[in-house]
Amino acid sequence: MVIARVILAIFSLIISQQVNAEVKCQIFDDKVSDRLIQYIKDSDLSAAKLLVDELESICNYGKRNTEQDVLIDIGWLFIFNHDFIYPPKEPIDVDGLADRIRLLPRRYRLISYSVLAEHYILTGDFSDVLNVTNFIENEQRSVLGKLRISPAI
């Protein structure tokens, strides 16, 4: 009977840890995403490192193609662009990242494309810089188009 209770207690602990990880991952809402993007805009490397490392550890990173995964990849790429000693823990599909950035809300796309373009510039891959520049131009055109269509206040 004691063995059954110990096994049940261990099983309960494992389940609660998994539930806690899912709940913690749900904190990756707009506020956390906004904070990561702000760290990137401010070139705050140390804060970005801490946030990305924490998010990667609590989320099921790399297991699905979600907004969280894309933003974590953007964070790692930004960190790697500025600190070549601190590489991403998981390999990033840099070439597929431009398409995946489209999963992000509009307010994150331009800075994410900028991080990707910076990476291509630093690695000397100028043909891909042109492709990312086209993504940025399209994004800016769509924003400007919406501004022209909206009624005057």
Side-chain angles (χ1 to χ4, degrees):
M1 190 67 170
V2 172
I3 294 173
R5 285 185 183 169
V6 170
I7 292 172
L8 186 58
I10 292 171
F11 187 67
S12 297
L13 181 63
I14 291 170
I15 290 175
S16 70
Q17 291 298 326
Q18 185 132 18
V19 169
N20 285 340
E22 287 300 317
V23 169
K24 285 179 182 176
C25 191
Q26 288 174 1
I27 66 159
F28 199 116
D29 59 5
D30 287 344
K31 290 179 186 173
V32 176
S33 303
D34 288 344
R35 196 166 13 141
L36 177 59
I37 293 299
Q38 192 59 50
Y39 292 155
I40 291 171
K41 285 180 181 176
D42 296 343
S43 293
D44 191 344
L45 186 62
S46 59
K49 277 182 187 179
L50 290 173
L51 185 58
V52 171
D53 202 31
E54 176 69 16
L55 292 170
E56 187 182 62
S57 69
I58 62 175
C59 291
N60 197 9
Y61 172 68
K63 304 296 186 231
R64 56 202 185 284
N65 194 21
T66 63
E67 178 184 323
Q68 290 96 334
D69 281 350
V70 178
L71 281 169
I72 289 170
D73 283 349
I74 291 297
W76 277 122
L77 205 58
F78 163 75
I79 292 164
F80 185 64
N81 288 347
H82 290 84
D83 183 359
F84 292 102
I85 300 167
Y86 202 88
K89 292 180 183 175
E90 298 287 329
I92 296 174
D93 175 17
V94 176
D95 294 328
L97 200 52
D99 291 327
R100 294 173 59 229
I101 289 172
R102 293 182 188 152
L103 292 172
L104 298 176
R106 181 176 309 278
R107 66 185 179 276
Y108 304 141
R109 287 188 212 147
L110 281 175
I111 191 69
S112 298
Y113 283 133
S114 299
V115 170
L116 186 58
E118 178 185 43
H119 180 75
Y120 285 135
I121 290 168
L122 290 172
T123 57
D125 195 345
F126 295 107
S127 61
D128 282 328
V129 172
L130 183 60
N131 291 337
V132 174
T133 303
N134 290 335
F135 283 122
I136 292 171
E137 287 175 357
N138 291 337
E139 198 64 42
Q140 287 176 327
R141 268 192 230 114
S142 72
V143 169
L144 289 175
K146 288 185 178 207
L147 290 176
R148 280 189 225 130
I149 295 171
S150 63
I153 298 175

